[in-house]
Amino acid sequence: MSVAQGENWHYLSVDSTVSLLDANAERGLGHAEAEERLAHFGPNEITERRGRGPLKRFLLQFHQPLIYILLGATVVTILLAEYVDAAVIFAVVLINAIIGFIQESKAIQAIQALQKSLAQYATVIRSGKSQRLSVDKLVPGDIVELAAGDRVPADMRLIRVHELQTDESALTGESVPVQKDPAELDVHTDLGDRKNMSFSSSLVTRGAARGVVVATGDNTELGRIAEMVSRAEQLETPLTRRIREFSHILLVAILTLAALAFLIGLMRGEAPADMFLAATALAVGMIPEGLPAVVTIILAIGVSRMARRRAIVRTLPSVETLGSTTVICSDKTGTLTQNQMTVLHVLAG
């Protein structure tokens, strides 16, 4: 079983592939053998990356430089016994966090519901009989039959092909369907040119074929992409970057003016305690308490408009990022659409 998740299956002949997988191209696996392999390899699904829990997602809503300033202002006003002002400032911060948390939670629920609605089935040969199985039950060595309109359930080495074409744009970016051929290829053949392979998540646009599963779950090419995405660095959006820069400038300006007011008062002979209270009140008064709430509400409106256009946005700043896009870099095929034929008008009579 250790060889069943190897690479370079395109380099091997059909007979060698079937032999290495201890499979049968005509009868498929037996039910007992399939259950044993399922226990060994696990279900044919991409491991769900552990996301942030509700508490962490809520606390992260406060992880903004401007919010830190407001929280600091809340503490200072409490120390000055200005409880009404402290309550107002903290209420603004709390409402801002609640709006962001609710919006992100709704987006996560929508994504989860979408994933559940995409449950797939595949036509599999088991013990000489063709049957429909949930794709998560597939194991290396299973014989799968493909037809036009099917989504390939796992990485497969093709055994027999009848004018098979598949859309592999999700993996390669090439929007033109690929014509498949079961003949073995050179060992150094690139992924996009492996015409004797069919990869998980690609769509059969034409023809039919029979293939043997060589990789499932995280070991598929799609699984490797998911792993790379999970390690991707979290980048700042234009909005968060500008707010961070503005917060730094604002903090320096507030502290500078408050210190200047304190020193001028001392020079005029005022009591140090009175001037400290006055400088603190001045600093708190210069903080724009409503700015975070206004920004969050505007972004939430943008997310709602995107949702009406069937676009799910998980984090609020991503909306502003889309709006700030001026140049899109694409390869020669320009695969930016849904790649679906859609009827726009019907003429009758």
Side-chain angles (χ1 to χ4, degrees):
M1 288 186 178
S2 60
V3 300
Q5 302 288 23
E7 299 180 2
N8 298 332
W9 293 103
H10 61 280
Y11 173 67
L12 301 174
S13 66
V14 170
D15 292 338
S16 298
T17 301
V18 173
S19 177
L20 277 174
L21 292 168
D22 196 15
N24 187 307
E26 301 301 326
R27 294 186 54 81
L29 297 175
H31 293 291
E33 175 66 17
E35 290 296 329
E36 182 181 347
R37 296 192 184 196
L38 183 62
H40 179 79
F41 292 111
N44 176 33
E45 56 189 15
I46 306 297
T47 301
E48 186 174 351
R49 310 301 167 186
R50 186 175 180 181
R52 305 185 182 112
L55 178 60
K56 187 174 182 180
R57 282 191 284 111
F58 180 72
L59 293 177
L60 284 175
Q61 304 300 323
F62 297 93
H63 184 50
Q64 303 175 34
L66 196 55
I67 297 299
Y68 290 153
I69 295 176
L70 294 179
L71 291 175
T74 302
V75 173
V76 172
T77 49
I78 290 176
L79 295 177
L80 295 175
E82 299 291 342
Y83 301 116
V84 175
D85 289 345
V88 170
I89 296 173
F90 185 72
V92 170
V93 173
L94 187 61
I95 292 172
N96 177 77
I98 291 174
I99 293 175
F101 175 76
I102 291 175
Q103 180 58 51
E104 186 170 341
S105 298
K106 288 169 61 179
I108 291 175
Q109 291 172 1
I111 293 172
Q112 291 174 344
L114 184 61
Q115 289 173 337
K116 291 179 180 179
S117 69
L118 294 176
Q120 298 180 39
Y121 293 86
T123 303
V124 186
I125 308 297
R126 289 270 178 94
S127 298
K129 296 181 180 180
S130 176
Q131 54 187 293
R132 296 283 287 176
L133 286 180
S134 176
V135 296
D136 60 345
K137 303 296 184 184
L138 293 182
V139 295
D142 262 329
I143 304 301
V144 177
E145 293 185 332
L146 300 174
D150 289 347
R151 192 164 294 276
V152 179
D155 286 2
M156 298 166 50
R157 173 65 164 91
L158 297 174
I159 298 174
R160 290 199 296 267
V161 168
H162 179 66
E163 297 184 356
L164 181 70
Q165 292 184 355
T166 61
D167 170 21
E168 298 177 352
S169 57
L171 290 173
T172 64
E174 296 291 341
S175 60
V176 179
V178 180
Q179 185 78 37
K180 295 296 183 177
D181 187 328
E184 56 263 34
L185 300 168
D186 183 77
V187 67
H188 300 297
T189 304
D190 292 332
L191 178 69
D193 295 324
R194 296 178 186 176
K195 297 183 179 181
N196 58 9
M197 299 285 296
S198 194
F199 299 102
S200 177
S201 82
S202 57
L203 182 67
V204 179
T205 59
R206 179 183 177 187
R210 173 177 289 194
V212 57
V213 175
V214 297
T216 59
D218 292 335
N219 295 290
T220 62
E221 293 297 332
L222 186 66
R224 293 173 185 172
I225 292 175
E227 174 63 25
M228 289 188 290
V229 170
S230 69
R231 299 197 307 265
E233 181 183 354
Q234 190 71 26
L235 300 178
E236 284 188 314
T237 67
L239 178 64
T240 56
R241 185 164 55 249
R242 286 200 295 268
I243 289 180
R244 176 175 54 80
E245 294 170 354
F246 171 74
S247 300
H248 291 162
I249 295 173
L250 181 66
L251 181 60
V252 172
I254 288 174
L255 294 178
T256 301
L257 292 175
L260 186 61
F262 179 76
L263 292 175
I264 291 175
L266 292 181
M267 293 172 61
R268 290 172 56 87
E270 303 290 342
D274 293 339
M275 287 313 305
F276 177 77
L277 292 176
T280 303
L282 177 63
V284 172
M286 287 189 289
I287 295 175
E289 295 92 345
L291 179 59
V294 170
V295 171
T296 300
I297 291 171
I298 291 175
L299 293 179
I301 293 173
V303 169
S304 299
R305 290 183 176 178
M306 293 291 287
R308 287 197 293 269
R309 295 173 177 266
R310 300 180 182 179
I312 300 174
V313 180
R314 191 167 67 88
T315 57
L316 292 177
S318 300
V319 177
E320 190 271 342
T321 304
L322 293 172
S324 300
T325 301
T326 55
V327 177
I328 296 176
C329 300
S330 175
D331 64 0
K332 62 182 182 302
T333 57
T335 310
L336 299 172
T337 66
Q338 293 182 350
N339 202 20
Q340 295 178 350
M341 297 292 288
T342 305
V343 176
L344 299 180
H345 301 285
V346 175
L347 303 179

